[in-house]
PDB file of all heavy atoms in Angstrom:
ATOM      1  N   ASP Z  88     -81.084  58.361  35.877  1.00  0.00           N
ATOM      2  CA  ASP Z  88     -82.129  58.573  34.863  1.00  0.00           C
ATOM      3  C   ASP Z  88     -82.051  57.446  33.855  1.00  0.00           C
ATOM      4  O   ASP Z  88     -80.983  57.103  33.350  1.00  0.00           O
ATOM      5  CB  ASP Z  88     -81.988  59.933  34.237  1.00  0.00           C
ATOM      6  CG  ASP Z  88     -82.327  61.067  35.139  1.00  0.00           C
ATOM      7  OD1 ASP Z  88     -83.381  60.950  35.825  1.00  0.00           O
ATOM      8  OD2 ASP Z  88     -81.509  62.056  35.191  1.00  0.00           O
ATOM      9  N   LEU Z  89     -83.248  56.885  33.556  1.00  0.00           N
ATOM     10  CA  LEU Z  89     -83.306  55.853  32.540  1.00  0.00           C
ATOM     11  C   LEU Z  89     -84.054  56.429  31.312  1.00  0.00           C
ATOM     12  O   LEU Z  89     -85.105  57.019  31.403  1.00  0.00           O
ATOM     13  CB  LEU Z  89     -84.078  54.630  33.080  1.00  0.00           C
ATOM     14  CG  LEU Z  89     -84.415  53.557  32.032  1.00  0.00           C
ATOM     15  CD1 LEU Z  89     -83.215  52.908  31.492  1.00  0.00           C
ATOM     16  CD2 LEU Z  89     -85.387  52.533  32.676  1.00  0.00           C
ATOM     17  N   TYR Z  90     -83.424  56.171  30.160  1.00  0.00           N
ATOM     18  CA  TYR Z  90     -84.110  56.646  28.910  1.00  0.00           C
ATOM     19  C   TYR Z  90     -84.364  55.416  28.034  1.00  0.00           C
ATOM     20  O   TYR Z  90     -83.577  54.530  27.883  1.00  0.00           O
ATOM     21  CB  TYR Z  90     -83.222  57.674  28.178  1.00  0.00           C
ATOM     22  CG  TYR Z  90     -83.034  58.939  28.918  1.00  0.00           C
ATOM     23  CD1 TYR Z  90     -81.850  59.203  29.627  1.00  0.00           C
ATOM     24  CD2 TYR Z  90     -84.004  59.958  28.930  1.00  0.00           C
ATOM     25  CE1 TYR Z  90     -81.649  60.414  30.359  1.00  0.00           C
ATOM     26  CE2 TYR Z  90     -83.873  61.113  29.631  1.00  0.00           C
ATOM     27  CZ  TYR Z  90     -82.661  61.278  30.322  1.00  0.00           C
ATOM     28  OH  TYR Z  90     -82.469  62.489  31.035  1.00  0.00           O
ATOM     29  N   THR Z  91     -85.578  55.437  27.396  1.00  0.00           N
ATOM     30  CA  THR Z  91     -85.927  54.270  26.564  1.00  0.00           C
ATOM     31  C   THR Z  91     -86.382  54.866  25.194  1.00  0.00           C
ATOM     32  O   THR Z  91     -86.357  56.093  24.980  1.00  0.00           O
ATOM     33  CB  THR Z  91     -87.061  53.502  27.220  1.00  0.00           C
ATOM     34  OG1 THR Z  91     -88.276  54.405  27.296  1.00  0.00           O
ATOM     35  CG2 THR Z  91     -86.714  53.034  28.604  1.00  0.00           C
ATOM     36  N   LYS Z  92     -86.886  53.952  24.405  1.00  0.00           N
ATOM     37  CA  LYS Z  92     -87.284  54.322  22.996  1.00  0.00           C
ATOM     38  C   LYS Z  92     -88.237  55.455  22.972  1.00  0.00           C
ATOM     39  O   LYS Z  92     -88.174  56.390  22.146  1.00  0.00           O
ATOM     40  CB  LYS Z  92     -87.817  53.144  22.238  1.00  0.00           C
ATOM     41  CG  LYS Z  92     -88.079  53.320  20.795  1.00  0.00           C
ATOM     42  CD  LYS Z  92     -88.458  52.035  20.119  1.00  0.00           C
ATOM     43  CE  LYS Z  92     -88.630  52.202  18.607  1.00  0.00           C
ATOM     44  NZ  LYS Z  92     -89.585  53.291  18.178  1.00  0.00           N
ATOM     45  N   SER Z  93     -89.192  55.489  23.918  1.00  0.00           N
ATOM     46  CA  SER Z  93     -90.208  56.559  23.948  1.00  0.00           C
ATOM     47  C   SER Z  93     -89.566  57.948  24.188  1.00  0.00           C
ATOM     48  O   SER Z  93     -89.947  58.975  23.617  1.00  0.00           O
ATOM     49  CB  SER Z  93     -91.317  56.225  24.896  1.00  0.00           C
ATOM     50  OG  SER Z  93     -90.812  56.213  26.225  1.00  0.00           O
ATOM     51  N   ASP Z  94     -88.535  57.958  25.084  1.00  0.00           N
ATOM     52  CA  ASP Z  94     -87.836  59.224  25.315  1.00  0.00           C
ATOM     53  C   ASP Z  94     -87.096  59.676  24.141  1.00  0.00           C
ATOM     54  O   ASP Z  94     -87.057  60.823  23.739  1.00  0.00           O
ATOM     55  CB  ASP Z  94     -86.800  59.008  26.502  1.00  0.00           C
ATOM     56  CG  ASP Z  94     -87.465  58.663  27.775  1.00  0.00           C
ATOM     57  OD1 ASP Z  94     -88.325  59.454  28.262  1.00  0.00           O
ATOM     58  OD2 ASP Z  94     -87.159  57.566  28.310  1.00  0.00           O
ATOM     59  N   ILE Z  95     -86.484  58.697  23.432  1.00  0.00           N
ATOM     60  CA  ILE Z  95     -85.714  59.011  22.204  1.00  0.00           C
ATOM     61  C   ILE Z  95     -86.649  59.606  21.147  1.00  0.00           C
ATOM     62  O   ILE Z  95     -86.340  60.670  20.578  1.00  0.00           O
ATOM     63  CB  ILE Z  95     -85.005  57.803  21.628  1.00  0.00           C
ATOM     64  CG1 ILE Z  95     -83.890  57.310  22.626  1.00  0.00           C
ATOM     65  CG2 ILE Z  95     -84.373  57.990  20.266  1.00  0.00           C
ATOM     66  CD1 ILE Z  95     -83.262  56.019  22.293  1.00  0.00           C
ATOM     67  N   ASP Z  96     -87.802  58.971  20.929  1.00  0.00           N
ATOM     68  CA  ASP Z  96     -88.713  59.409  19.951  1.00  0.00           C
ATOM     69  C   ASP Z  96     -89.222  60.830  20.300  1.00  0.00           C
ATOM     70  O   ASP Z  96     -89.406  61.713  19.470  1.00  0.00           O
ATOM     71  CB  ASP Z  96     -89.920  58.486  19.828  1.00  0.00           C
ATOM     72  CG  ASP Z  96     -89.539  57.135  19.254  1.00  0.00           C
ATOM     73  OD1 ASP Z  96     -88.447  57.070  18.596  1.00  0.00           O
ATOM     74  OD2 ASP Z  96     -90.268  56.133  19.405  1.00  0.00           O
ATOM     75  N   ARG Z  97     -89.503  61.042  21.604  1.00  0.00           N
ATOM     76  CA  ARG Z  97     -90.066  62.312  21.977  1.00  0.00           C
ATOM     77  C   ARG Z  97     -89.023  63.462  21.763  1.00  0.00           C
ATOM     78  O   ARG Z  97     -89.354  64.529  21.261  1.00  0.00           O
ATOM     79  CB  ARG Z  97     -90.413  62.269  23.532  1.00  0.00           C
ATOM     80  CG  ARG Z  97     -90.940  63.548  24.099  1.00  0.00           C
ATOM     81  CD  ARG Z  97     -91.364  63.325  25.570  1.00  0.00           C
ATOM     82  NE  ARG Z  97     -90.348  62.591  26.323  1.00  0.00           N
ATOM     83  CZ  ARG Z  97     -89.197  63.151  26.810  1.00  0.00           C
ATOM     84  NH1 ARG Z  97     -88.980  64.430  26.612  1.00  0.00           N
ATOM     85  NH2 ARG Z  97     -88.360  62.441  27.476  1.00  0.00           N
ATOM     86  N   VAL Z  98     -87.770  63.172  22.236  1.00  0.00           N
ATOM     87  CA  VAL Z  98     -86.719  64.266  22.117  1.00  0.00           C
ATOM     88  C   VAL Z  98     -86.401  64.544  20.637  1.00  0.00           C
ATOM     89  O   VAL Z  98     -86.200  65.652  20.236  1.00  0.00           O
ATOM     90  CB  VAL Z  98     -85.500  63.879  22.941  1.00  0.00           C
ATOM     91  CG1 VAL Z  98     -84.391  64.796  22.684  1.00  0.00           C
ATOM     92  CG2 VAL Z  98     -85.844  63.836  24.417  1.00  0.00           C
ATOM     93  N   MET Z  99     -86.299  63.436  19.911  1.00  0.00           N
ATOM     94  CA  MET Z  99     -85.819  63.620  18.523  1.00  0.00           C
ATOM     95  C   MET Z  99     -86.989  64.142  17.684  1.00  0.00           C
ATOM     96  O   MET Z  99     -86.747  64.847  16.693  1.00  0.00           O
ATOM     97  CB  MET Z  99     -85.318  62.278  17.953  1.00  0.00           C
ATOM     98  CG  MET Z  99     -84.149  61.708  18.711  1.00  0.00           C
ATOM     99  SD  MET Z  99     -82.738  62.796  18.796  1.00  0.00           S
ATOM    100  CE  MET Z  99     -82.070  62.634  17.222  1.00  0.00           C
ATOM    101  N   GLY Z 100     -88.213  63.846  17.982  1.00  0.00           N
ATOM    102  CA  GLY Z 100     -89.350  64.256  17.259  1.00  0.00           C
ATOM    103  C   GLY Z 100     -89.234  63.888  15.807  1.00  0.00           C
ATOM    104  O   GLY Z 100     -88.719  62.859  15.448  1.00  0.00           O
ATOM    105  N   SER Z 101     -89.684  64.774  14.928  1.00  0.00           N
ATOM    106  CA  SER Z 101     -89.661  64.467  13.547  1.00  0.00           C
ATOM    107  C   SER Z 101     -88.401  64.840  12.846  1.00  0.00           C
ATOM    108  O   SER Z 101     -88.146  64.634  11.691  1.00  0.00           O
ATOM    109  CB  SER Z 101     -90.841  65.099  12.814  1.00  0.00           C
ATOM    110  OG  SER Z 101     -90.749  66.522  13.036  1.00  0.00           O
ATOM    111  N   SER Z 102     -87.540  65.514  13.685  1.00  0.00           N
ATOM    112  CA  SER Z 102     -86.273  66.040  13.105  1.00  0.00           C
ATOM    113  C   SER Z 102     -85.315  64.946  12.694  1.00  0.00           C
ATOM    114  O   SER Z 102     -84.479  65.167  11.808  1.00  0.00           O
ATOM    115  CB  SER Z 102     -85.613  67.023  14.086  1.00  0.00           C
ATOM    116  OG  SER Z 102     -85.096  66.260  15.169  1.00  0.00           O
ATOM    117  N   SER Z 103     -85.437  63.843  13.353  1.00  0.00           N
ATOM    118  CA  SER Z 103     -84.423  62.780  13.085  1.00  0.00           C
ATOM    119  C   SER Z 103     -84.806  61.975  11.865  1.00  0.00           C
ATOM    120  O   SER Z 103     -85.764  61.190  11.907  1.00  0.00           O
ATOM    121  CB  SER Z 103     -84.317  61.854  14.320  1.00  0.00           C
ATOM    122  OG  SER Z 103     -83.512  60.811  13.989  1.00  0.00           O
ATOM    123  N   THR Z 104     -84.053  62.086  10.847  1.00  0.00           N
ATOM    124  CA  THR Z 104     -84.228  61.233   9.697  1.00  0.00           C
ATOM    125  C   THR Z 104     -83.107  60.179   9.568  1.00  0.00           C
ATOM    126  O   THR Z 104     -83.302  59.089   9.244  1.00  0.00           O
ATOM    127  CB  THR Z 104     -84.395  62.069   8.438  1.00  0.00           C
ATOM    128  OG1 THR Z 104     -83.329  62.920   8.393  1.00  0.00           O
ATOM    129  CG2 THR Z 104     -85.720  62.822   8.417  1.00  0.00           C
ATOM    130  N   ALA Z 105     -81.928  60.725   9.885  1.00  0.00           N
ATOM    131  CA  ALA Z 105     -80.762  59.878   9.611  1.00  0.00           C
ATOM    132  C   ALA Z 105     -80.165  59.140  10.821  1.00  0.00           C
ATOM    133  O   ALA Z 105     -79.534  58.120  10.729  1.00  0.00           O
ATOM    134  CB  ALA Z 105     -79.587  60.707   8.939  1.00  0.00           C
ATOM    135  N   ILE Z 106     -80.470  59.706  12.017  1.00  0.00           N
ATOM    136  CA  ILE Z 106     -79.778  59.221  13.201  1.00  0.00           C
ATOM    137  C   ILE Z 106     -80.473  57.961  13.783  1.00  0.00           C
ATOM    138  O   ILE Z 106     -81.659  58.011  14.021  1.00  0.00           O
ATOM    139  CB  ILE Z 106     -79.700  60.268  14.302  1.00  0.00           C
ATOM    140  CG1 ILE Z 106     -78.875  61.489  13.761  1.00  0.00           C
ATOM    141  CG2 ILE Z 106     -79.044  59.788  15.568  1.00  0.00           C
ATOM    142  CD1 ILE Z 106     -78.839  62.670  14.685  1.00  0.00           C
ATOM    143  N   SER Z 107     -79.722  56.968  13.987  1.00  0.00           N
ATOM    144  CA  SER Z 107     -80.165  55.747  14.699  1.00  0.00           C
ATOM    145  C   SER Z 107     -79.536  55.584  16.001  1.00  0.00           C
ATOM    146  O   SER Z 107     -78.279  55.705  16.056  1.00  0.00           O
ATOM    147  CB  SER Z 107     -80.011  54.583  13.828  1.00  0.00           C
ATOM    148  OG  SER Z 107     -80.057  53.368  14.578  1.00  0.00           O
ATOM    149  N   PHE Z 108     -80.230  55.268  17.102  1.00  0.00           N
ATOM    150  CA  PHE Z 108     -79.629  55.051  18.366  1.00  0.00           C
ATOM    151  C   PHE Z 108     -79.699  53.496  18.707  1.00  0.00           C
ATOM    152  O   PHE Z 108     -79.659  53.099  19.851  1.00  0.00           O
ATOM    153  CB  PHE Z 108     -80.373  55.826  19.454  1.00  0.00           C
ATOM    154  CG  PHE Z 108     -80.153  57.283  19.387  1.00  0.00           C
ATOM    155  CD1 PHE Z 108     -81.153  58.134  18.834  1.00  0.00           C
ATOM    156  CD2 PHE Z 108     -78.966  57.919  19.813  1.00  0.00           C
ATOM    157  CE1 PHE Z 108     -80.903  59.510  18.734  1.00  0.00           C
ATOM    158  CE2 PHE Z 108     -78.765  59.271  19.733  1.00  0.00           C
ATOM    159  CZ  PHE Z 108     -79.784  60.114  19.184  1.00  0.00           C
ATOM    160  N   SER Z 109     -79.715  52.759  17.634  1.00  0.00           N
ATOM    161  CA  SER Z 109     -79.723  51.297  17.779  1.00  0.00           C
ATOM    162  C   SER Z 109     -78.490  50.732  18.281  1.00  0.00           C
ATOM    163  O   SER Z 109     -77.380  51.212  17.968  1.00  0.00           O
ATOM    164  CB  SER Z 109     -80.164  50.674  16.403  1.00  0.00           C
ATOM    165  OG  SER Z 109     -79.906  49.318  16.406  1.00  0.00           O
ATOM    166  N   GLY Z 110     -78.493  49.680  19.101  1.00  0.00           N
ATOM    167  CA  GLY Z 110     -77.339  48.996  19.609  1.00  0.00           C
ATOM    168  C   GLY Z 110     -76.434  49.845  20.414  1.00  0.00           C
ATOM    169  O   GLY Z 110     -76.903  50.674  21.186  1.00  0.00           O
ATOM    170  N   TYR Z 111     -75.121  49.759  20.170  1.00  0.00           N
ATOM    171  CA  TYR Z 111     -74.143  50.590  20.961  1.00  0.00           C
ATOM    172  C   TYR Z 111     -74.403  52.043  20.807  1.00  0.00           C
ATOM    173  O   TYR Z 111     -73.943  52.834  21.629  1.00  0.00           O
ATOM    174  CB  TYR Z 111     -72.750  50.138  20.531  1.00  0.00           C
ATOM    175  CG  TYR Z 111     -72.260  48.875  21.187  1.00  0.00           C
ATOM    176  CD1 TYR Z 111     -72.271  47.700  20.508  1.00  0.00           C
ATOM    177  CD2 TYR Z 111     -71.902  48.848  22.524  1.00  0.00           C
ATOM    178  CE1 TYR Z 111     -71.895  46.493  21.107  1.00  0.00           C
ATOM    179  CE2 TYR Z 111     -71.525  47.636  23.187  1.00  0.00           C
ATOM    180  CZ  TYR Z 111     -71.545  46.490  22.455  1.00  0.00           C
ATOM    181  OH  TYR Z 111     -71.128  45.325  23.061  1.00  0.00           O
ATOM    182  N   SER Z 112     -75.074  52.445  19.752  1.00  0.00           N
ATOM    183  CA  SER Z 112     -75.245  53.876  19.485  1.00  0.00           C
ATOM    184  C   SER Z 112     -76.286  54.459  20.468  1.00  0.00           C
ATOM    185  O   SER Z 112     -76.400  55.706  20.511  1.00  0.00           O
ATOM    186  CB  SER Z 112     -75.761  54.133  18.033  1.00  0.00           C
ATOM    187  OG  SER Z 112     -74.684  53.844  17.110  1.00  0.00           O
ATOM    188  N   CYS Z 113     -76.997  53.661  21.237  1.00  0.00           N
ATOM    189  CA  CYS Z 113     -77.954  54.207  22.189  1.00  0.00           C
ATOM    190  C   CYS Z 113     -77.251  55.088  23.195  1.00  0.00           C
ATOM    191  O   CYS Z 113     -77.844  56.047  23.704  1.00  0.00           O
ATOM    192  CB  CYS Z 113     -78.782  53.105  22.898  1.00  0.00           C
ATOM    193  SG  CYS Z 113     -77.798  52.059  23.963  1.00  0.00           S
ATOM    194  N   ARG Z 114     -76.004  54.801  23.493  1.00  0.00           N
ATOM    195  CA  ARG Z 114     -75.269  55.631  24.531  1.00  0.00           C
ATOM    196  C   ARG Z 114     -75.224  57.103  24.099  1.00  0.00           C
ATOM    197  O   ARG Z 114     -75.159  57.989  24.952  1.00  0.00           O
ATOM    198  CB  ARG Z 114     -73.908  55.093  24.710  1.00  0.00           C
ATOM    199  CG  ARG Z 114     -73.056  55.227  23.449  1.00  0.00           C
ATOM    200  CD  ARG Z 114     -71.615  55.018  23.710  1.00  0.00           C
ATOM    201  NE  ARG Z 114     -71.433  53.720  24.341  1.00  0.00           N
ATOM    202  CZ  ARG Z 114     -70.248  53.287  24.809  1.00  0.00           C
ATOM    203  NH1 ARG Z 114     -69.196  54.086  24.746  1.00  0.00           N
ATOM    204  NH2 ARG Z 114     -70.132  52.097  25.362  1.00  0.00           N
ATOM    205  N   TYR Z 115     -75.238  57.393  22.831  1.00  0.00           N
ATOM    206  CA  TYR Z 115     -75.089  58.787  22.340  1.00  0.00           C
ATOM    207  C   TYR Z 115     -76.261  59.565  22.804  1.00  0.00           C
ATOM    208  O   TYR Z 115     -76.145  60.819  22.963  1.00  0.00           O
ATOM    209  CB  TYR Z 115     -74.797  58.861  20.874  1.00  0.00           C
ATOM    210  CG  TYR Z 115     -73.432  58.228  20.518  1.00  0.00           C
ATOM    211  CD1 TYR Z 115     -73.440  56.868  20.123  1.00  0.00           C
ATOM    212  CD2 TYR Z 115     -72.317  58.909  20.591  1.00  0.00           C
ATOM    213  CE1 TYR Z 115     -72.171  56.323  19.857  1.00  0.00           C
ATOM    214  CE2 TYR Z 115     -71.077  58.344  20.273  1.00  0.00           C
ATOM    215  CZ  TYR Z 115     -70.999  57.036  19.869  1.00  0.00           C
ATOM    216  OH  TYR Z 115     -69.818  56.438  19.593  1.00  0.00           O
ATOM    217  N   PHE Z 116     -77.428  58.943  22.933  1.00  0.00           N
ATOM    218  CA  PHE Z 116     -78.594  59.621  23.450  1.00  0.00           C
ATOM    219  C   PHE Z 116     -78.309  60.112  24.911  1.00  0.00           C
ATOM    220  O   PHE Z 116     -78.796  61.188  25.327  1.00  0.00           O
ATOM    221  CB  PHE Z 116     -79.876  58.792  23.411  1.00  0.00           C
ATOM    222  CG  PHE Z 116     -81.081  59.511  23.701  1.00  0.00           C
ATOM    223  CD1 PHE Z 116     -81.651  60.388  22.808  1.00  0.00           C
ATOM    224  CD2 PHE Z 116     -81.693  59.381  24.958  1.00  0.00           C
ATOM    225  CE1 PHE Z 116     -82.795  61.115  23.073  1.00  0.00           C
ATOM    226  CE2 PHE Z 116     -82.820  60.098  25.312  1.00  0.00           C
ATOM    227  CZ  PHE Z 116     -83.414  60.991  24.338  1.00  0.00           C
ATOM    228  N   GLY Z 117     -77.550  59.303  25.631  1.00  0.00           N
ATOM    229  CA  GLY Z 117     -77.182  59.670  26.996  1.00  0.00           C
ATOM    230  C   GLY Z 117     -76.247  60.891  26.976  1.00  0.00           C
ATOM    231  O   GLY Z 117     -76.366  61.782  27.848  1.00  0.00           O
ATOM    232  N   TYR Z 118     -75.355  60.958  26.031  1.00  0.00           N
ATOM    233  CA  TYR Z 118     -74.473  62.186  25.938  1.00  0.00           C
ATOM    234  C   TYR Z 118     -75.321  63.394  25.714  1.00  0.00           C
ATOM    235  O   TYR Z 118     -75.017  64.507  26.217  1.00  0.00           O
ATOM    236  CB  TYR Z 118     -73.492  62.019  24.774  1.00  0.00           C
ATOM    237  CG  TYR Z 118     -72.343  61.049  24.963  1.00  0.00           C
ATOM    238  CD1 TYR Z 118     -72.543  59.702  25.104  1.00  0.00           C
ATOM    239  CD2 TYR Z 118     -71.069  61.576  25.094  1.00  0.00           C
ATOM    240  CE1 TYR Z 118     -71.508  58.852  25.269  1.00  0.00           C
ATOM    241  CE2 TYR Z 118     -70.021  60.704  25.238  1.00  0.00           C
ATOM    242  CZ  TYR Z 118     -70.216  59.336  25.385  1.00  0.00           C
ATOM    243  OH  TYR Z 118     -69.171  58.497  25.571  1.00  0.00           O
ATOM    244  N   LEU Z 119     -76.345  63.208  24.864  1.00  0.00           N
ATOM    245  CA  LEU Z 119     -77.201  64.355  24.529  1.00  0.00           C
ATOM    246  C   LEU Z 119     -78.046  64.794  25.758  1.00  0.00           C
ATOM    247  O   LEU Z 119     -78.209  66.047  25.942  1.00  0.00           O
ATOM    248  CB  LEU Z 119     -78.212  63.815  23.409  1.00  0.00           C
ATOM    249  CG  LEU Z 119     -78.840  64.803  22.476  1.00  0.00           C
ATOM    250  CD1 LEU Z 119     -77.771  65.624  21.740  1.00  0.00           C
ATOM    251  CD2 LEU Z 119     -79.681  64.066  21.500  1.00  0.00           C
ATOM    252  N   MET Z 120     -78.453  63.890  26.587  1.00  0.00           N
ATOM    253  CA  MET Z 120     -79.311  64.160  27.727  1.00  0.00           C
ATOM    254  C   MET Z 120     -78.509  64.702  28.920  1.00  0.00           C
ATOM    255  O   MET Z 120     -78.972  65.412  29.782  1.00  0.00           O
ATOM    256  CB  MET Z 120     -80.042  62.956  28.186  1.00  0.00           C
ATOM    257  CG  MET Z 120     -81.144  62.461  27.216  1.00  0.00           C
ATOM    258  SD  MET Z 120     -82.515  63.685  27.025  1.00  0.00           S
ATOM    259  CE  MET Z 120     -82.002  64.490  25.505  1.00  0.00           C
ATOM    260  N   SER Z 121     -77.221  64.393  28.957  1.00  0.00           N
ATOM    261  CA  SER Z 121     -76.334  64.850  30.074  1.00  0.00           C
ATOM    262  C   SER Z 121     -76.216  66.353  30.015  1.00  0.00           C
ATOM    263  O   SER Z 121     -76.189  66.970  29.005  1.00  0.00           O
ATOM    264  CB  SER Z 121     -74.978  64.157  29.982  1.00  0.00           C
ATOM    265  OG  SER Z 121     -74.145  64.748  30.976  1.00  0.00           O
ATOM    266  N   ARG Z 122     -76.117  66.927  31.251  1.00  0.00           N
ATOM    267  CA  ARG Z 122     -75.852  68.327  31.336  1.00  0.00           C
ATOM    268  C   ARG Z 122     -74.488  68.556  32.054  1.00  0.00           C
ATOM    269  O   ARG Z 122     -74.195  69.666  32.512  1.00  0.00           O
ATOM    270  CB  ARG Z 122     -76.937  69.069  32.127  1.00  0.00           C
ATOM    271  CG  ARG Z 122     -78.311  69.080  31.414  1.00  0.00           C
ATOM    272  CD  ARG Z 122     -78.283  69.893  30.120  1.00  0.00           C
ATOM    273  NE  ARG Z 122     -79.494  69.648  29.378  1.00  0.00           N
ATOM    274  CZ  ARG Z 122     -79.551  68.691  28.427  1.00  0.00           C
ATOM    275  NH1 ARG Z 122     -78.566  67.903  28.192  1.00  0.00           N
ATOM    276  NH2 ARG Z 122     -80.693  68.614  27.705  1.00  0.00           N
TER     277      ARG Z 122
END
Side-chain angles (χ1 to χ4, degrees):
Chain Z
D88 287 314
L89 170 66
Y90 296 100
T91 64
K92 188 171 185 303
S93 63
D94 299 300
I95 294 173
D96 291 343
R97 179 177 46 79
V98 170
M99 301 304 283
S101 58
S102 67
S103 173
T104 50
I106 299 176
S107 161
F108 292 102
S109 165
Y111 282 102
S112 289
C113 68
R114 63 166 56 186
Y115 296 92
F116 189 76
Y118 285 69
L119 205 57
M120 291 296 101
S121 171
R122 295 294 168 270

